[in-house]
Structures are given as C-alpha cells and as structure tokens.
C-alpha cells in the first residue's frame, strides 16, 4: 500500500521569515496528515530550508529544489548533498521543468544527481513531463519514456524503492490548465509500466505524483486515480489556507 504524498514546491517564493511563519502555522496540519497516514511536505528555497526544518513539525518533509551531484568543488552557485544533509534535508526535487527549461537540466544530468542522492540514502523526486508542443504532436509517451529510461538507467530495484516520480505536463504548470484526470492517469499508469519493465515488481512501491495546476478543488479527483499517489503543487501550496484545503480534501 503506497502512502499518499502531498508536496508543495515553493519555487522562488517566500523569504526565510515567511517560510518560518508557514512552518509554525502548519504544525497541526502535519499532525493531521500523519494521523491519516499521509506524508506532507514543502520544497522551500535553499535559504529557507533551515528555517522550515527547525520550526515545522518534525514529520514535515522538507525538500530542496535542486542539488549538485559532486560533493564539493569549483561549481559557483551550487549546493552539494553533504551541505543539505548537514541541515537534515534528505529529499530533493530533480529535473523540475523550470530547471530543464532555464538551467539546461538534461536527463543525463538528472541521472547523475539521482545516483548521488540514492547513494546517500536520500529521496529524489524525479520530475518528468512533456511541453505543449510535444503534447500537441502526440509525443507525450515518447518524451516521458526517454526521461524515465535515461534518468534512471542502471539503478537497482532496491535503490529505486525510495524514488518518487512526479508527472508534470509542462503546459499545465502555473497555467491553470490542468490535465484531465484521464490524461494524468493514462500517463502515470504508463510510467508505472515503464518502471515495471526497468525494475520489476518494485514499481508497485514507487510513488507517482501528478503536478500541474493542482488546487484544493481538483486534488481529490487526481488521487482517486489508481496510479496517482499524490500531488506536487506549486501555487496552491504557498498559502496556509489552500495548503490546508489540499490536505483536508484528500483525507
Ligand atoms: C510545480 O511547480 O511543480 C507546479 C506543479 O506548479 P503549479 O501547481 O503552480 O502548476
């Protein structure tokens, strides 16, 4: 039985003081999630990770939005895995479409980051999804298949048990144009089949999230799909009220 997972992606939003306040204000929501066997968390900016980690309920998942695959070195502006672990951060988003679009994050780069995270017993949340042009050209499964195969090549079934995959069609992120539940389930089911081909039965243990304009009003429909285990949520995770709505609507 896969536990439901609700993860907020704050992108480049919230100062450290605002992030701390959110962490304090959501303690009872984390308690509620935990009582209902739901994992709940947020991915703040690097500068707010410590504030959230120190002030949130201890069961709150606190994820970084990126990391470098090398432990240290001449990589100006980057943050390494040991630096995250020093603050108790062991979840990291990898390959978010904004990083793929603006920071040249390729499947191979994602692969190296996931490899480094798995070697450190951390949880990568590997984001995949097609652009609008690819969707319109009917290439969704071809694109997602390449992202899964190249991003996860060579790992063992034991290693990928901890992995979370997030299917986020790029055309639905921050646009208010969410994918229908039929599309979301079709692609998430396809991803599970790819994981089964690549890793065997462990595919049934890997959590697959849908992301893209998820809101309190539509989250329940996504989570009622057999292959969707949770949501990766941007805009609607920023305010306590809508974050609460996302949770209470899937209890
Ligand atoms: C995201 O950033 O991963 C996301 C899905 O954003 P939004 O919910 O705002 O579409």
């Amino acid at each position: 039985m896969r536990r439901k997972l609700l993860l907020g992606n704050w992108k480049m939003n919230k100062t450290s003081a605002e992030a701390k306040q959110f962490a304090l204000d959501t303690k009872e929501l984390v308690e509620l999630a935990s009582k209902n066997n739901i994992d709940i968390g947020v991915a703040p900016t690097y500068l707010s990770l410590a504030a959230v980690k120190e002030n949130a309920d201890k069961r709150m998942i606190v994820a970084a939005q990126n990391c470098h695959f090398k432990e240290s070195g001449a990589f100006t502006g980057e943050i390494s895995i040991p630096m995250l672990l020093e603050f108790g951060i062991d979840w990291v988003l990898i390959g978010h479409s904004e990083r793929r679009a603006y920071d040249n994050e390729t499947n191979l780069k994602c692969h190296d980051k996931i490899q480094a995270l798995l070697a450190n017993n951390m949880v990568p949340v590997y984001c995949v999804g097609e652009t609008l042009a690819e969707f319109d050209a009917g290439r969704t499964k071809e694109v997602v298949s390449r992202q899964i195969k190249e991003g996860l090549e060579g790992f063992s079934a034991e290693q990928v048990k901890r992995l979370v995959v997030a299917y986020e069609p790029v055309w639905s992120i921050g646009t208010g144009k969410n994918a229908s539940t039929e599309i979301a389930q079709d692609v998430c089911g396809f991803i599970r089949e790819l994981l089964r081909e690549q890793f065997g039965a462990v595919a049934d243990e890997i959590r697959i999230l849908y992301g893209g304009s998820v809101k309190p009003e539509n989250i329940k429909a996504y989570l009622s799909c057999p292959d969707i285990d949770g949501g990766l949520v941007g805009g609607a995770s920023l305010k306590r009220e809508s974050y609460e709505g996302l949770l209470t609507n899937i209890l």
Side-chain angles (χ1 to χ4, degrees):
M1 182 68 180
R2 300 182 294 267
R3 269 170 82 95
K4 288 182 199 166
L5 170 59
L6 173 60
L7 200 54
N9 172 19
W10 286 352
K11 314 188 186 199
M12 198 174 70
N13 290 294
K14 290 193 191 295
T15 62
S16 184
E18 289 164 346
K20 174 180 174 180
Q21 196 57 52
F22 185 98
L24 292 170
D25 290 346
T26 50
K27 276 180 186 267
E28 77 278 19
L29 294 184
V30 181
E31 169 82 38
L32 180 65
S34 170
K35 274 197 190 131
N36 287 278
N37 294 319
I38 297 174
D39 290 331
I40 189 167
V42 288
T45 66
Y46 285 135
L47 285 173
S48 297
L49 286 170
V52 177
K53 193 74 188 167
E54 280 162 19
N55 292 285
D57 181 290
K58 293 296 161 242
R59 290 161 291 189
M60 174 79 114
I61 294 166
V62 186
Q65 297 174 15
N66 180 37
C67 69
H68 199 277
F69 60 92
K70 288 264 176 95
E71 291 203 349
S72 62
F75 301 102
T76 303
E78 296 285 350
I79 297 285
S80 74
I81 286 173
M83 293 169 190
L84 294 174
L85 287 174
E86 187 182 17
F87 285 89
I89 306 300
D90 54 4
W91 283 58
V92 184
L93 306 186
I94 296 295
H96 189 278
S97 64
E98 287 149 16
R99 294 203 54 82
R100 288 181 186 265
Y102 309 135
D103 294 278
N104 194 27
E105 195 104 318
T106 60
N107 294 336
L108 297 181
K109 249 196 209 174
C110 291
H111 175 274
D112 290 349
K113 294 180 182 198
I114 295 169
Q115 185 166 45
L117 289 167
L118 293 175
N120 282 280
N121 294 320
M122 294 166 77
V123 181
V125 179
Y126 181 39
C127 305
V128 298
E130 79 287 2
T131 63
L132 182 59
E134 289 161 346
F135 175 77
D136 284 343
R139 295 182 50 221
T140 299
K141 290 187 178 171
E142 174 203 326
V143 170
V144 168
S145 168
R146 189 165 341 106
Q147 290 169 329
I148 292 288
K149 287 194 176 125
E150 292 181 359
L152 304 178
E153 195 180 345
F155 302 143
S156 69
E158 188 55 34
Q159 281 178 306
V160 295
K161 254 187 203 166
R162 276 192 305 283
L163 175 80
V164 174
V165 176
Y167 169 57
E168 300 200 302
V170 180
W171 47 272
S172 73
I173 297 179
T175 58
K177 278 199 274 171
N178 48 305
S180 66
T181 48
E182 288 74 22
I183 293 176
Q185 165 55 31
D186 184 42
V187 181
C188 290
F190 173 70
I191 290 171
R192 199 172 303 286
E193 280 315 308
L194 292 172
L195 294 171
R196 206 184 312 283
E197 276 168 30
Q198 221 165 325
F199 304 108
V202 76
D204 289 320
E205 294 178 45
I206 297 174
R207 288 184 285 184
I208 302 177
L209 314 181
Y210 168 75
S213 298
V214 174
K215 300 178 199 72
E217 308 85 69
N218 60 24
I219 191 165
K220 194 175 174 168
Y222 288 114
L223 268 79
S224 62
C225 298
D227 287 298
I228 301 180
D229 307 307
L232 179 57
V233 187
S237 72
L238 287 169
K239 292 224 166 76
R240 189 207 176 279
E241 299 69 41
S242 45
Y243 192 68
E244 178 175 3
L246 290 165
L247 174 64
T248 54
N249 286 343
I250 58 168
L251 292 178

